[in-house]
Amino acid sequence: MRRVYEPPEPDDGVRVLVDRLWPRGLSKDAALVDEWPKALTPSTELRRWYHAGEGSYEEFAGRYEAELDTLEATELLSHVRELAAKGPVTLLTASKEPEQSHAEVLVRLLGSPSR
């Protein structure tokens, strides 16, 4: 997991943008994003709720996991796991604090075979 604004590294492997909105000020050519599975991103409502400071990270993570309980999201999580089985995968986010974002939730879920 890394910020999408950081320069790509040779060992990034498949670069997957996990934000719903395209990062500001970054061209698609410069980002070098291989995949952009928008169905794995938090809903606009949840994102706005969390950024408004109305709840804790733990509550956000729980709500986000509930949003991911759809067939489409489950299939996309499986797809990213399959990519990771073949080689490195880097989840990209524009979040200023990736460790307190949805990307961290995805990292945890991708390490778990239950979804």
Side-chain angles (χ1 to χ4, degrees):
M1 175 179 58
R2 72 174 50 229
R3 291 197 73 222
V4 69
Y5 298 108
E6 296 173 11
E9 296 286 334
D11 61 346
D12 280 352
V14 178
R15 293 169 53 86
V16 180
L17 179 64
V18 294
D19 290 347
R20 184 167 298 267
L21 304 174
W22 188 263
R24 286 185 193 193
L26 187 64
S27 73
K28 292 187 178 182
D29 290 336
L32 296 175
V33 168
D34 298 306
E35 299 202 15
W36 188 15
K38 292 181 188 177
L40 281 184
T41 65
S43 67
T44 299
E45 297 79 17
L46 181 58
R47 184 176 46 80
R48 287 180 179 160
W49 172 84
Y50 183 53
H51 291 296
E54 296 180 24
S56 68
Y57 175 72
E58 291 74 22
E59 186 176 358
F60 165 77
R63 288 182 180 197
Y64 178 43
E65 285 187 48
E67 285 189 353
L68 290 172
D69 195 16
T70 67
L71 179 60
E72 183 177 15
T74 301
E75 289 174 351
L76 286 170
L77 283 168
S78 292
H79 172 68
V80 176
R81 273 193 202 99
E82 289 169 10
L83 292 173
K86 296 175 185 174
V89 172
T90 300
L91 301 183
L92 303 169
T93 182
S95 176
K96 292 179 182 175
E97 296 182 43
E99 295 78 18
Q100 291 289 306
S101 76
H102 64 288
E104 182 66 28
V105 175
L106 287 174
V107 166
R108 183 171 40 80
L109 292 176
L110 288 166
S112 168
S114 63
R115 285 199 191 224

